[in-house]
Amino acid sequence: GENVEQHPSTLSVQEGDSAVIKCTYSDSASNYFPWYKQELGKRPQLIIDIRSNVGEKKDQRIAVTLNKTAKHFSLHITETQPEDSAVYFCAATFGTASKLTFGTGTRLQVTL
Amino acid sequence: EAQVTQNPRYLITVTGKKLTVTCSQNMNHEYMSWYRQDPGLGLRQIYYSMNVEVTDKGDVPEGYKVSRKEKRNFPLILESPSPNQTSLYFCASSRWDSSGAEAFFGQGTRLTVV
């Protein structure tokens, strides 16, 4: 069935270090892979996405890589800052309805 | 301002008392969906709708109903709420795109069933 696995569930890094969150998906036909950031008490908001015809995408300090053969994709945050502290969710689309299935989330804490 | 609006933001109710959580979007999006968020389980889809009068079950539809009579509204109905439906609920909308599109989320509704 449709499944997205996300690791790790919690991640603590020092300010200025890099953070990497990894996800795997089950359906080789999936073609859209967004990442959402949810700050405490707020709604999830899109921070970056990638489509299946692209291997990597960057936006300032964040980047996403996609390996379609292995069915996994990763979020990379460089030069982390305290405001990067949040829960991050990966997601993938499944089926003809482009149903969006989310991973279980990663709580990132950036310490001073 | 483009937005997805849910009401109420907080709700405490008793087991068995029917309730409706409303969701409205002003972006003319075709696609709308409901998720519940529980610790350690992420965002799980309850129901989704690809357009007016077109709805389908997500991953955890038991105990919920939805309707899509108008493009902008997608209410979530709990006919007989139970304590295991205590959760944080999010409505989301996006334009229809077979290759995927950004989902915009509402502010969330924290529901407690006692």
Side-chain angles (χ1 to χ4, degrees):
Chain A
E2 307 149 356
N3 191 42
V4 177
E5 292 191 4
Q6 182 172 348
H7 299 281
S9 56
T10 60
L11 180 60
S12 181
V13 300
Q14 283 200 319
E15 183 179 7
D17 287 350
S18 295
V20 180
I21 303 170
K22 299 181 179 182
C23 290
T24 59
Y25 58 97
S26 57
D27 187 351
S28 58
S30 295
N31 58 7
Y32 178 64
F33 308 92
W35 286 89
Y36 286 81
K37 176 183 180 182
Q38 185 180 29
E39 296 176 351
L40 191 62
K42 301 281 184 67
R43 72 191 81 189
Q45 291 189 294
L46 181 76
I47 55 171
I48 195 167
D49 56 14
I50 192 168
R51 299 183 189 278
S52 58
N53 57 348
V54 175
E56 184 176 2
K57 185 177 178 180
K58 285 184 180 179
D59 183 3
Q60 300 182 341
R61 294 186 297 107
I62 60 172
V64 56
T65 57
L66 171 64
N67 183 328
K68 285 219 73 181
T69 303
K71 292 189 285 186
H72 68 69
F73 57 113
S74 301
L75 178 71
H76 304 253
I77 306 174
T78 58
E79 301 172 25
T80 53
Q81 300 168 3
E83 52 264 39
D84 294 329
S85 295
V87 177
Y88 292 81
F89 291 98
C90 63
T93 54
F94 292 90
T96 54
S98 293
K99 178 176 174 293
L100 198 60
T101 295
F102 286 83
T104 49
T106 296
R107 183 173 298 279
L108 173 65
Q109 183 167 2
V110 180
T111 57
L112 296 172
Chain B
E1 181 190 352
Q3 58 187 3
V4 180
T5 303
Q6 290 178 232
N7 279 296
R9 293 289 312 277
Y10 303 92
L11 180 60
I12 301 175
T13 190
V14 296
T15 299
K17 185 176 181 183
K18 181 180 178 180
L19 66 91
T20 299
V21 184
T22 63
C23 175
S24 181
Q25 52 95 2
N26 63 0
M27 294 170 279
N28 202 35
H29 285 163
E30 295 85 9
Y31 196 98
M32 297 185 75
S33 54
W34 277 101
Y35 295 88
R36 60 178 289 174
Q37 183 175 11
D38 302 289
L41 298 177
L43 292 155
R44 294 181 293 166
Q45 193 179 62
I46 303 170
Y47 268 95
Y48 65 94
S49 169
M50 292 170 63
N51 216 324
V52 176
E53 302 292 1
V54 181
T55 63
D56 208 347
K57 295 177 181 178
D59 298 314
V60 288
E62 294 78 19
Y64 304 94
K65 285 176 57 178
V66 293
S67 68
R68 188 89 182 275
K69 293 184 172 59
E70 305 164 285
K71 197 172 186 179
R72 63 183 292 124
N73 295 323
F74 191 45
L76 179 70
I77 303 155
L78 285 72
E79 295 267 3
S80 182
S82 62
N84 64 11
Q85 292 179 298
T86 292
S87 188
L88 177 60
Y89 291 86
F90 285 100
C91 177
S93 76
S94 64
R95 59 179 174 81
W96 168 246
D97 186 337
S98 61
S99 62
E102 178 181 0
F104 294 84
F105 285 82
Q107 323 96 300
T109 296
R110 186 166 292 282
L111 172 66
T112 302
V113 184
V114 298

